[in-house]
Tab-separated table of all heavy atoms in Angstrom:
chain	number	residue	atom	x	y	z
P	140	MET	N	-103.340	24.888	-67.164
P	140	MET	CA	-102.425	23.664	-67.050
P	140	MET	C	-100.985	24.195	-66.838
P	140	MET	O	-100.441	25.161	-67.232
P	140	MET	CB	-102.524	22.985	-68.480
P	140	MET	CG	-102.144	21.630	-68.415
P	140	MET	SD	-102.406	20.817	-70.051
P	140	MET	CE	-102.525	18.990	-69.627
P	141	LYS	N	-100.336	23.243	-66.138
P	141	LYS	CA	-98.883	23.567	-65.710
P	141	LYS	C	-98.063	23.463	-67.132
P	141	LYS	O	-98.498	22.967	-68.100
P	141	LYS	CB	-98.399	22.405	-64.859
P	141	LYS	CG	-98.991	22.525	-63.456
P	141	LYS	CD	-98.125	21.766	-62.458
P	141	LYS	CE	-98.419	20.242	-62.449
P	141	LYS	NZ	-97.679	19.467	-61.508
P	142	LYS	N	-96.872	24.204	-66.879
P	142	LYS	CA	-96.092	24.316	-68.201
P	142	LYS	C	-95.284	23.136	-68.453
P	142	LYS	O	-94.981	22.279	-67.550
P	142	LYS	CB	-95.154	25.539	-67.952
P	142	LYS	CG	-95.787	26.851	-68.049
P	142	LYS	CD	-94.665	27.903	-68.233
P	142	LYS	CE	-95.400	29.287	-68.342
P	142	LYS	NZ	-94.688	30.291	-67.610
P	143	ILE	N	-95.107	22.816	-69.730
P	143	ILE	CA	-94.265	21.840	-70.181
P	143	ILE	C	-92.800	22.163	-69.643
P	143	ILE	O	-92.363	23.224	-69.677
P	143	ILE	CB	-94.280	21.924	-71.693
P	143	ILE	CG1	-93.850	20.496	-72.271
P	143	ILE	CG2	-93.393	22.939	-72.368
P	143	ILE	CD1	-95.036	19.733	-72.825
P	144	PRO	N	-92.152	21.058	-69.159
P	144	PRO	CA	-90.821	21.233	-68.660
P	144	PRO	C	-89.866	21.620	-69.694
P	144	PRO	O	-89.971	21.280	-70.846
P	144	PRO	CB	-90.437	19.928	-68.074
P	144	PRO	CG	-91.335	18.829	-68.610
P	144	PRO	CD	-92.550	19.601	-69.131
P	145	ILE	N	-88.876	22.460	-69.294
P	145	ILE	CA	-87.794	22.927	-70.299
P	145	ILE	C	-86.612	22.214	-69.887
P	145	ILE	O	-86.043	22.313	-68.747
P	145	ILE	CB	-87.741	24.417	-70.193
P	145	ILE	CG1	-88.856	25.122	-70.898
P	145	ILE	CG2	-86.288	24.888	-71.095
P	145	ILE	CD1	-88.947	26.621	-70.777
P	146	LEU	N	-86.189	21.146	-70.722
P	146	LEU	CA	-85.071	20.286	-70.239
P	146	LEU	C	-83.724	21.063	-70.459
P	146	LEU	O	-82.790	20.855	-69.817
P	146	LEU	CB	-85.133	19.123	-71.090
P	146	LEU	CG	-86.266	18.092	-70.741
P	146	LEU	CD1	-86.453	17.120	-71.801
P	146	LEU	CD2	-86.093	17.519	-69.386
P	147	PHE	N	-83.735	21.924	-71.360
P	147	PHE	CA	-82.460	22.731	-71.598
P	147	PHE	C	-82.773	23.935	-72.444
P	147	PHE	O	-83.611	23.916	-73.358
P	147	PHE	CB	-81.262	21.872	-72.295
P	147	PHE	CG	-81.693	21.372	-73.607
P	147	PHE	CD1	-81.478	22.043	-74.764
P	147	PHE	CD2	-82.311	20.169	-73.726
P	147	PHE	CE1	-81.770	21.450	-76.051
P	147	PHE	CE2	-82.650	19.434	-74.805
P	147	PHE	CZ	-82.389	20.176	-76.097
P	148	ASN	N	-82.024	25.014	-72.331
P	148	ASN	CA	-82.136	26.174	-73.046
P	148	ASN	C	-81.195	26.247	-74.129
P	148	ASN	O	-81.576	26.580	-75.240
P	148	ASN	CB	-82.104	27.473	-72.127
P	148	ASN	CG	-83.303	27.586	-71.256
P	148	ASN	OD1	-84.444	27.650	-71.600
P	148	ASN	ND2	-83.070	27.627	-70.008
P	149	ILE	N	-80.039	25.737	-73.832
P	149	ILE	CA	-79.011	25.695	-74.857
P	149	ILE	C	-78.307	24.333	-74.849
P	149	ILE	O	-78.427	23.730	-73.724
P	149	ILE	CB	-77.929	26.819	-74.549
P	149	ILE	CG1	-77.245	26.657	-73.171
P	149	ILE	CG2	-78.257	28.217	-74.970
P	149	ILE	CD1	-76.041	27.543	-72.923
P	150	LYS	N	-77.834	23.942	-75.822
P	150	LYS	CA	-77.314	22.492	-75.988
P	150	LYS	C	-76.232	22.169	-74.877
P	150	LYS	O	-76.193	21.098	-74.505
P	150	LYS	CB	-76.874	22.162	-77.499
P	150	LYS	CG	-78.034	22.062	-78.404
P	150	LYS	CD	-77.603	21.824	-79.684
P	150	LYS	CE	-78.783	21.401	-80.596
P	150	LYS	NZ	-78.387	21.211	-82.010
P	151	GLU	N	-75.524	23.163	-74.517
P	151	GLU	CA	-74.451	22.953	-73.534
P	151	GLU	C	-75.043	22.518	-72.106
P	151	GLU	O	-74.393	21.803	-71.298
P	151	GLU	CB	-73.640	24.277	-73.300
P	151	GLU	CG	-72.649	24.439	-74.357
P	151	GLU	CD	-73.325	24.934	-75.627
P	151	GLU	OE1	-74.384	25.366	-75.625
P	151	GLU	OE2	-72.466	24.909	-76.761
P	152	GLU	N	-76.401	22.668	-72.024
P	152	GLU	CA	-77.082	22.307	-70.698
P	152	GLU	C	-77.579	20.857	-70.798
P	152	GLU	O	-78.250	20.412	-69.853
P	152	GLU	CB	-78.188	23.214	-70.384
P	152	GLU	CG	-77.809	24.632	-69.988
P	152	GLU	CD	-78.918	25.603	-69.959
P	152	GLU	OE1	-80.152	25.113	-69.995
P	152	GLU	OE2	-78.683	26.725	-69.534
P	153	CYS	N	-77.261	20.105	-71.930
P	153	CYS	CA	-77.718	18.746	-72.051
P	153	CYS	C	-76.594	17.927	-72.733
P	153	CYS	O	-76.052	18.336	-73.645
P	153	CYS	CB	-78.947	18.743	-73.018
P	153	CYS	SG	-79.468	17.072	-73.426
P	154	CYS	N	-76.275	16.847	-71.982
P	154	CYS	CA	-75.205	16.017	-72.516
P	154	CYS	C	-75.822	14.775	-73.286
P	154	CYS	O	-75.046	13.929	-73.752
P	154	CYS	CB	-74.354	15.424	-71.369
P	154	CYS	SG	-75.331	14.259	-70.266
P	155	GLY	N	-77.101	14.744	-73.480
P	155	GLY	CA	-77.834	13.681	-74.178
P	155	GLY	C	-77.682	12.322	-73.462
P	155	GLY	O	-77.735	11.288	-74.203
P	156	CYS	N	-77.691	12.310	-72.134
P	156	CYS	CA	-77.558	11.012	-71.397
P	156	CYS	C	-78.856	10.349	-71.548
P	156	CYS	O	-78.832	9.011	-71.155
P	156	CYS	CB	-77.252	11.391	-69.953
P	156	CYS	SG	-78.618	12.116	-68.904
P	157	ALA	N	-80.015	10.913	-71.797
P	157	ALA	CA	-81.265	10.211	-72.005
P	157	ALA	C	-81.929	9.735	-70.739
P	157	ALA	O	-82.719	8.832	-70.701
P	157	ALA	CB	-81.074	9.029	-72.980
P	158	ALA	N	-81.404	10.171	-69.544
P	158	ALA	CA	-81.965	9.900	-68.228
P	158	ALA	C	-83.503	10.233	-68.230
P	158	ALA	O	-84.366	9.584	-67.752
P	158	ALA	CB	-81.265	10.335	-67.150
P	159	CYS	N	-83.674	11.479	-68.837
P	159	CYS	CA	-85.068	12.049	-68.826
P	159	CYS	C	-86.026	11.116	-69.689
P	159	CYS	O	-87.107	10.804	-69.367
P	159	CYS	CB	-85.116	13.452	-69.379
P	159	CYS	SG	-84.175	13.673	-70.897
P	160	TYR	N	-85.529	10.710	-70.789
P	160	TYR	CA	-86.128	9.799	-71.691
P	160	TYR	C	-86.488	8.527	-71.035
P	160	TYR	O	-87.618	8.061	-71.220
P	160	TYR	CB	-85.263	9.582	-72.934
P	160	TYR	CG	-85.664	8.444	-73.770
P	160	TYR	CD1	-86.562	8.513	-74.815
P	160	TYR	CD2	-84.787	7.178	-73.680
P	160	TYR	CE1	-86.904	7.507	-75.617
P	160	TYR	CE2	-85.303	6.099	-74.535
P	160	TYR	CZ	-86.198	6.295	-75.535
P	160	TYR	OH	-86.538	5.251	-76.305
P	161	SER	N	-85.513	7.988	-70.268
P	161	SER	CA	-85.845	6.784	-69.569
P	161	SER	C	-86.782	6.764	-68.453
P	161	SER	O	-87.548	5.776	-68.234
P	161	SER	CB	-84.437	6.207	-68.988
P	161	SER	OG	-83.548	5.906	-70.061
P	162	ILE	N	-86.841	7.934	-67.795
P	162	ILE	CA	-87.653	7.931	-66.656
P	162	ILE	C	-89.100	8.458	-66.981
P	162	ILE	O	-90.060	8.101	-66.082
P	162	ILE	CB	-87.165	9.005	-65.626
P	162	ILE	CG1	-87.556	8.443	-64.202
P	162	ILE	CG2	-87.440	10.440	-65.843
P	162	ILE	CD1	-86.785	8.972	-63.050
P	163	CYS	N	-89.398	8.958	-68.100
P	163	CYS	CA	-90.669	9.493	-68.432
P	163	CYS	C	-91.781	8.341	-68.355
P	163	CYS	O	-91.567	7.435	-69.121
P	163	CYS	CB	-90.638	10.118	-69.758
P	163	CYS	SG	-92.274	10.857	-70.252
P	164	PRO	N	-92.739	8.515	-67.538
P	164	PRO	CA	-93.815	7.482	-67.475
P	164	PRO	C	-94.758	7.461	-68.550
P	164	PRO	O	-95.466	6.407	-68.716
P	164	PRO	CB	-94.490	7.816	-66.143
P	164	PRO	CG	-94.335	9.256	-65.949
P	164	PRO	CD	-93.091	9.532	-66.593
P	165	LYS	N	-94.787	8.441	-69.389
P	165	LYS	CA	-95.736	8.559	-70.548
P	165	LYS	C	-95.004	8.239	-71.832
P	165	LYS	O	-95.661	8.403	-72.920
P	165	LYS	CB	-96.419	9.874	-70.562
P	165	LYS	CG	-97.434	10.048	-69.295
P	165	LYS	CD	-98.488	9.055	-69.365
P	165	LYS	CE	-99.477	9.481	-70.462
P	165	LYS	NZ	-100.553	8.687	-70.586
P	166	GLU	N	-93.756	8.114	-71.798
P	166	GLU	CA	-92.932	7.929	-73.074
P	166	GLU	C	-93.138	9.124	-74.045
P	166	GLU	O	-93.370	9.060	-75.145
P	166	GLU	CB	-93.261	6.661	-73.735
P	166	GLU	CG	-92.813	5.420	-72.943
P	166	GLU	CD	-93.075	4.078	-73.711
P	166	GLU	OE1	-93.541	4.019	-74.835
P	166	GLU	OE2	-92.882	3.091	-73.000
P	167	ALA	N	-93.173	10.301	-73.291
P	167	ALA	CA	-93.508	11.522	-73.935
P	167	ALA	C	-92.218	12.171	-74.585
P	167	ALA	O	-92.298	13.203	-75.260
P	167	ALA	CB	-94.160	12.501	-73.086
P	168	ILE	N	-91.119	11.567	-74.196
P	168	ILE	CA	-89.726	12.202	-74.708
P	168	ILE	C	-89.160	11.295	-75.733
P	168	ILE	O	-89.046	10.159	-75.630
P	168	ILE	CB	-88.768	12.341	-73.510
P	168	ILE	CG1	-89.430	13.225	-72.482
P	168	ILE	CG2	-87.490	12.871	-74.002
P	168	ILE	CD1	-88.518	13.432	-71.143
P	169	LYS	N	-88.799	12.026	-76.881
P	169	LYS	CA	-88.015	11.390	-77.907
P	169	LYS	C	-86.656	11.849	-77.920
P	169	LYS	O	-86.427	13.030	-77.767
P	169	LYS	CB	-88.628	11.623	-79.185
P	169	LYS	CG	-89.890	10.682	-79.629
P	169	LYS	CD	-90.165	11.011	-81.135
P	169	LYS	CE	-90.489	12.373	-81.483
P	169	LYS	NZ	-90.992	12.668	-82.763
P	170	MET	N	-85.667	10.997	-78.194
P	170	MET	CA	-84.308	11.516	-78.505
P	170	MET	C	-84.101	11.713	-80.038
P	170	MET	O	-84.319	10.744	-80.720
P	170	MET	CB	-83.286	10.378	-77.942
P	170	MET	CG	-83.352	10.260	-76.457
P	170	MET	SD	-83.122	11.647	-75.449
P	170	MET	CE	-81.456	11.948	-75.544
P	171	GLU	N	-83.890	12.871	-80.360
P	171	GLU	CA	-83.720	13.184	-81.828
P	171	GLU	C	-82.311	13.735	-82.140
P	171	GLU	O	-81.651	14.350	-81.364
P	171	GLU	CB	-84.730	14.331	-82.213
P	171	GLU	CG	-86.043	13.876	-82.214
P	171	GLU	CD	-87.042	14.666	-83.069
P	171	GLU	OE1	-86.681	15.838	-83.269
P	171	GLU	OE2	-88.225	14.270	-83.179
P	172	LEU	N	-81.802	13.186	-83.296
P	172	LEU	CA	-80.554	13.587	-83.723
P	172	LEU	C	-80.489	15.012	-84.210
P	172	LEU	O	-81.446	15.355	-84.960
P	172	LEU	CB	-80.127	12.601	-84.808
P	172	LEU	CG	-79.686	11.165	-84.368
P	172	LEU	CD1	-79.378	10.454	-85.660
P	172	LEU	CD2	-78.599	11.160	-83.403
P	173	ASP	N	-79.528	15.707	-83.813
P	173	ASP	CA	-79.453	17.049	-84.441
P	173	ASP	C	-78.492	16.911	-85.672
P	173	ASP	O	-78.128	15.874	-86.187
P	173	ASP	CB	-78.833	18.070	-83.447
P	173	ASP	CG	-77.370	17.884	-83.073
P	173	ASP	OD1	-76.728	16.941	-83.662
P	173	ASP	OD2	-76.899	18.650	-82.221
P	174	GLU	N	-78.181	17.989	-86.270
P	174	GLU	CA	-77.503	18.100	-87.639
P	174	GLU	C	-76.038	17.639	-87.344
P	174	GLU	O	-75.365	17.205	-88.379
P	174	GLU	CB	-77.580	19.517	-88.174
P	174	GLU	CG	-76.991	20.669	-87.389
P	174	GLU	CD	-77.803	21.033	-86.245
P	174	GLU	OE1	-78.897	20.689	-86.039
P	174	GLU	OE2	-77.146	22.024	-85.407
P	175	GLU	N	-75.483	17.566	-86.184
P	175	GLU	CA	-74.191	17.126	-85.950
P	175	GLU	C	-74.195	15.687	-85.428
P	175	GLU	O	-73.014	15.100	-85.100
P	175	GLU	CB	-73.477	17.936	-84.945
P	175	GLU	CG	-73.161	19.425	-85.505
P	175	GLU	CD	-72.564	20.387	-84.493
P	175	GLU	OE1	-72.765	20.077	-83.269
P	175	GLU	OE2	-71.878	21.244	-84.973
P	176	GLY	N	-75.376	15.087	-85.359
P	176	GLY	CA	-75.366	13.521	-84.945
P	176	GLY	C	-75.461	13.311	-83.459
P	176	GLY	O	-75.233	12.260	-82.961
P	177	PHE	N	-75.704	14.360	-82.657
P	177	PHE	CA	-75.802	14.194	-81.263
P	177	PHE	C	-77.311	14.100	-80.931
P	177	PHE	O	-78.207	14.901	-81.549
P	177	PHE	CB	-75.212	15.476	-80.453
P	177	PHE	CG	-73.756	15.323	-80.595
P	177	PHE	CD1	-73.132	16.353	-81.398
P	177	PHE	CD2	-72.997	14.557	-79.740
P	177	PHE	CE1	-71.798	16.382	-81.526
P	177	PHE	CE2	-71.569	14.703	-80.030
P	177	PHE	CZ	-70.926	15.427	-80.723
P	178	GLU	N	-77.565	13.393	-79.839
P	178	GLU	CA	-79.106	13.216	-79.535
P	178	GLU	C	-79.597	14.168	-78.517
P	178	GLU	O	-78.837	14.330	-77.532
P	178	GLU	CB	-79.263	11.781	-78.985
P	178	GLU	CG	-79.360	10.713	-80.228
P	178	GLU	CD	-79.950	9.363	-79.782
P	178	GLU	OE1	-79.599	8.921	-78.557
P	178	GLU	OE2	-80.518	8.735	-80.575
P	179	TYR	N	-80.754	14.676	-78.599
P	179	TYR	CA	-81.250	15.650	-77.686
P	179	TYR	C	-82.744	15.255	-77.425
P	179	TYR	O	-83.391	14.889	-78.378
P	179	TYR	CB	-81.144	17.117	-78.145
P	179	TYR	CG	-79.770	17.713	-78.194
P	179	TYR	CD1	-79.018	17.520	-79.313
P	179	TYR	CD2	-79.172	18.104	-77.054
P	179	TYR	CE1	-77.562	18.087	-79.207
P	179	TYR	CE2	-77.898	18.560	-76.960
P	179	TYR	CZ	-76.976	18.467	-78.109
P	179	TYR	OH	-75.883	18.936	-77.933
P	180	PRO	N	-83.120	15.376	-76.220
P	180	PRO	CA	-84.673	15.020	-75.896
P	180	PRO	C	-85.591	16.049	-76.407
P	180	PRO	O	-85.430	17.424	-76.282
P	180	PRO	CB	-84.617	15.051	-74.408
P	180	PRO	CG	-83.628	15.923	-73.868
P	180	PRO	CD	-82.422	15.850	-74.967
P	181	ILE	N	-86.747	15.732	-76.959
P	181	ILE	CA	-87.805	16.482	-77.447
P	181	ILE	C	-89.013	16.055	-76.685
P	181	ILE	O	-89.335	14.768	-76.834
P	181	ILE	CB	-88.006	16.376	-78.988
P	181	ILE	CG1	-86.745	16.609	-79.741
P	181	ILE	CG2	-89.192	17.349	-79.374
P	181	ILE	CD1	-86.200	18.010	-79.700
P	182	ILE	N	-89.661	16.891	-76.070
P	182	ILE	CA	-91.047	16.526	-75.395
P	182	ILE	C	-92.270	16.710	-76.273
P	182	ILE	O	-92.411	17.768	-76.863
P	182	ILE	CB	-91.171	17.252	-74.042
P	182	ILE	CG1	-90.045	17.094	-73.074
P	182	ILE	CG2	-92.533	16.988	-73.407
P	182	ILE	CD1	-90.091	17.865	-71.824
P	183	ASP	N	-93.089	15.659	-76.304
P	183	ASP	CA	-94.302	15.713	-77.100
P	183	ASP	C	-95.351	16.340	-76.050
P	183	ASP	O	-95.726	15.730	-75.018
P	183	ASP	CB	-94.844	14.176	-77.465
P	183	ASP	CG	-96.055	14.276	-78.239
P	183	ASP	OD1	-96.898	15.265	-78.014
P	183	ASP	OD2	-96.398	13.292	-78.909
P	184	GLU	N	-95.805	17.531	-76.296
P	184	GLU	CA	-96.653	18.288	-75.413
P	184	GLU	C	-98.062	17.562	-75.152
P	184	GLU	O	-98.690	17.649	-74.118
P	184	GLU	CB	-96.910	19.732	-75.991
P	184	GLU	CG	-95.812	20.790	-75.878
P	184	GLU	CD	-96.227	22.127	-76.267
P	184	GLU	OE1	-97.418	22.302	-76.098
P	184	GLU	OE2	-95.381	22.761	-76.721
P	185	ASN	N	-98.373	16.802	-76.126
P	185	ASN	CA	-99.773	16.163	-76.144
P	185	ASN	C	-99.708	15.035	-75.165
P	185	ASN	O	-100.655	14.578	-74.648
P	185	ASN	CB	-100.145	15.736	-77.521
P	185	ASN	CG	-100.334	17.063	-78.411
P	185	ASN	OD1	-100.873	17.940	-77.827
P	185	ASN	ND2	-100.093	16.996	-79.586
P	186	GLU	N	-98.525	14.353	-75.005
P	186	GLU	CA	-98.246	13.112	-74.191
P	186	GLU	C	-97.910	13.550	-72.783
P	186	GLU	O	-98.144	12.830	-71.813
P	186	GLU	CB	-97.348	12.133	-74.846
P	186	GLU	CG	-97.760	11.527	-76.074
P	186	GLU	CD	-98.834	10.585	-75.927
P	186	GLU	OE1	-98.893	9.988	-74.844
P	186	GLU	OE2	-99.814	10.607	-76.801
P	187	CYS	N	-97.257	14.642	-72.588
P	187	CYS	CA	-96.679	14.980	-71.310
P	187	CYS	C	-97.771	15.293	-70.251
P	187	CYS	O	-98.699	16.174	-70.477
P	187	CYS	CB	-95.779	16.198	-71.487
P	187	CYS	SG	-95.030	16.897	-70.038
P	188	ILE	N	-97.551	14.711	-69.088
P	188	ILE	CA	-98.501	14.905	-67.899
P	188	ILE	C	-98.092	15.961	-66.931
P	188	ILE	O	-98.610	16.081	-65.828
P	188	ILE	CB	-99.027	13.641	-67.387
P	188	ILE	CG1	-97.888	12.818	-66.744
P	188	ILE	CG2	-99.859	12.726	-68.312
P	188	ILE	CD1	-98.135	11.718	-65.872
P	189	ARG	N	-96.884	16.501	-67.325
P	189	ARG	CA	-96.278	17.553	-66.414
P	189	ARG	C	-95.985	17.018	-65.049
P	189	ARG	O	-96.332	17.669	-63.914
P	189	ARG	CB	-97.297	18.751	-66.264
P	189	ARG	CG	-97.302	19.802	-67.329
P	189	ARG	CD	-97.819	19.302	-68.557
P	189	ARG	NE	-98.104	20.427	-69.541
P	189	ARG	CZ	-98.522	20.259	-70.860
P	189	ARG	NH1	-98.595	19.009	-71.338
P	189	ARG	NH2	-98.666	21.226	-71.608
P	190	CYS	N	-95.460	15.852	-64.934
P	190	CYS	CA	-95.072	15.254	-63.608
P	190	CYS	C	-93.620	15.742	-63.109
P	190	CYS	O	-93.318	15.605	-62.077
P	190	CYS	CB	-94.981	13.713	-63.741
P	190	CYS	SG	-93.752	13.042	-64.829
P	191	TYR	N	-92.894	16.304	-64.121
P	191	TYR	CA	-91.477	16.668	-63.978
P	191	TYR	C	-90.405	15.851	-63.480
P	191	TYR	O	-89.470	16.164	-62.917
P	191	TYR	CB	-91.604	18.001	-62.984
P	191	TYR	CG	-92.584	19.112	-63.463
P	191	TYR	CD1	-93.506	19.706	-62.700
P	191	TYR	CD2	-92.454	19.526	-64.809
P	191	TYR	CE1	-94.400	20.718	-63.212
P	191	TYR	CE2	-93.281	20.642	-65.288
P	191	TYR	CZ	-94.164	21.059	-64.469
P	191	TYR	OH	-95.015	22.165	-65.028
P	192	LYS	N	-90.788	14.552	-63.573
P	192	LYS	CA	-89.727	13.534	-63.254
P	192	LYS	C	-88.545	13.732	-64.142
P	192	LYS	O	-87.368	13.584	-63.627
P	192	LYS	CB	-90.302	12.121	-63.439
P	192	LYS	CG	-91.297	11.725	-62.350
P	192	LYS	CD	-91.623	10.223	-62.600
P	192	LYS	CE	-92.637	9.888	-61.376
P	192	LYS	NZ	-93.178	8.557	-61.635
P	193	CYS	N	-88.651	14.203	-65.471
P	193	CYS	CA	-87.518	14.393	-66.159
P	193	CYS	C	-86.734	15.569	-65.710
P	193	CYS	O	-85.389	15.405	-65.882
P	193	CYS	CB	-88.077	14.779	-67.720
P	193	CYS	SG	-89.265	16.002	-67.753
P	194	LEU	N	-87.104	16.456	-65.294
P	194	LEU	CA	-86.332	17.574	-64.636
P	194	LEU	C	-85.709	17.177	-63.359
P	194	LEU	O	-84.409	17.477	-63.200
P	194	LEU	CB	-87.279	18.807	-64.260
P	194	LEU	CG	-87.799	19.634	-65.398
P	194	LEU	CD1	-88.672	20.799	-64.869
P	194	LEU	CD2	-86.795	20.121	-66.222
P	195	LYS	N	-86.284	16.356	-62.566
P	195	LYS	CA	-85.677	15.941	-61.305
P	195	LYS	C	-84.578	14.895	-61.491
P	195	LYS	O	-83.579	14.971	-60.868
P	195	LYS	CB	-86.655	15.195	-60.396
P	195	LYS	CG	-87.713	16.127	-59.802
P	195	LYS	CD	-88.579	15.446	-58.804
P	195	LYS	CE	-89.813	16.384	-58.507
P	195	LYS	NZ	-90.968	15.715	-58.718
P	196	VAL	N	-84.637	14.209	-62.640
P	196	VAL	CA	-83.599	13.286	-62.864
P	196	VAL	C	-82.344	13.819	-63.562
P	196	VAL	O	-81.217	13.206	-63.554
P	196	VAL	CB	-84.099	12.044	-63.776
P	196	VAL	CG1	-84.197	12.313	-65.186
P	196	VAL	CG2	-83.275	10.726	-63.563
P	197	CYS	N	-82.490	15.025	-64.156
P	197	CYS	CA	-81.468	15.567	-65.038
P	197	CYS	C	-80.441	16.190	-63.999
P	197	CYS	O	-80.709	17.126	-63.249
P	197	CYS	CB	-82.061	16.607	-65.839
P	197	CYS	SG	-80.681	17.430	-66.883
P	198	TYR	N	-79.211	15.688	-64.183
P	198	TYR	CA	-78.047	16.222	-63.201
P	198	TYR	C	-77.822	17.656	-63.560
P	198	TYR	O	-77.000	18.239	-62.682
P	198	TYR	CB	-77.138	15.208	-62.907
P	198	TYR	CG	-76.204	15.128	-64.164
P	198	TYR	CD1	-75.073	15.914	-64.326
P	198	TYR	CD2	-76.379	13.988	-65.021
P	198	TYR	CE1	-74.270	15.729	-65.427
P	198	TYR	CE2	-75.484	13.875	-66.064
P	198	TYR	CZ	-74.484	14.654	-66.227
P	198	TYR	OH	-73.642	14.588	-67.411
P	199	PHE	N	-77.974	18.132	-64.668
P	199	PHE	CA	-77.675	19.471	-65.119
P	199	PHE	C	-78.537	20.545	-64.388
P	199	PHE	O	-78.281	21.729	-64.356
P	199	PHE	CB	-77.863	19.692	-66.559
P	199	PHE	CG	-76.560	19.383	-67.285
P	199	PHE	CD1	-76.357	18.114	-67.877
P	199	PHE	CD2	-75.617	20.405	-67.497
P	199	PHE	CE1	-75.245	17.756	-68.588
P	199	PHE	CE2	-74.400	19.993	-68.258
P	199	PHE	CZ	-74.241	18.658	-68.652
P	200	LYS	N	-79.721	20.077	-63.732
P	200	LYS	CA	-80.594	20.990	-63.196
P	200	LYS	C	-80.291	21.249	-61.604
P	200	LYS	O	-80.040	20.494	-61.025
P	200	LYS	CB	-82.087	20.524	-63.382
P	200	LYS	CG	-82.481	20.321	-64.672
P	200	LYS	CD	-82.618	21.525	-65.511
P	200	LYS	CE	-82.853	21.061	-66.952
P	200	LYS	NZ	-81.937	20.253	-67.728
W	539	SF4	S1	-81.483	14.109	-68.455
W	539	SF4	FE1	-80.828	16.207	-68.749
W	539	SF4	S2	-78.625	16.041	-69.603
W	539	SF4	FE2	-79.774	13.955	-69.871
W	539	SF4	S3	-80.624	13.932	-71.819
W	539	SF4	FE3	-82.262	14.608	-70.436
W	539	SF4	S4	-81.998	16.922	-70.394
W	539	SF4	FE4	-80.147	16.097	-71.335
W	540	SF4	S1	-93.048	16.093	-67.163
W	540	SF4	FE1	-93.259	13.775	-66.876
W	540	SF4	S2	-94.633	13.222	-68.588
W	540	SF4	FE2	-93.653	15.210	-69.045
W	540	SF4	S3	-91.934	14.676	-70.329
W	540	SF4	FE3	-91.192	15.005	-68.225
W	540	SF4	S4	-91.356	12.931	-67.295
W	540	SF4	FE4	-92.586	12.850	-69.208
């Protein structure tokens, strides 16, 4: 099976814009608050169909 996309390695690579969350056709991405109150996307491996739309929409990539 193809690999789960990596949306960011370090938090500086994600501004929390939620574009990935919005485009995911499987609603496999959740925006979760970190300890400082900023939202970051988390992918549910069981829901993700590896379409990589989330990577394409992310302007950090
Ligand atoms: S689209 Fe990119 S910058 Fe925006 S929340 Fe998703 S990973 Fe972060
Ligand atoms: S690869 Fe596709 S299904 Fe998986 S989280 Fe990204 S947009 Fe959603």
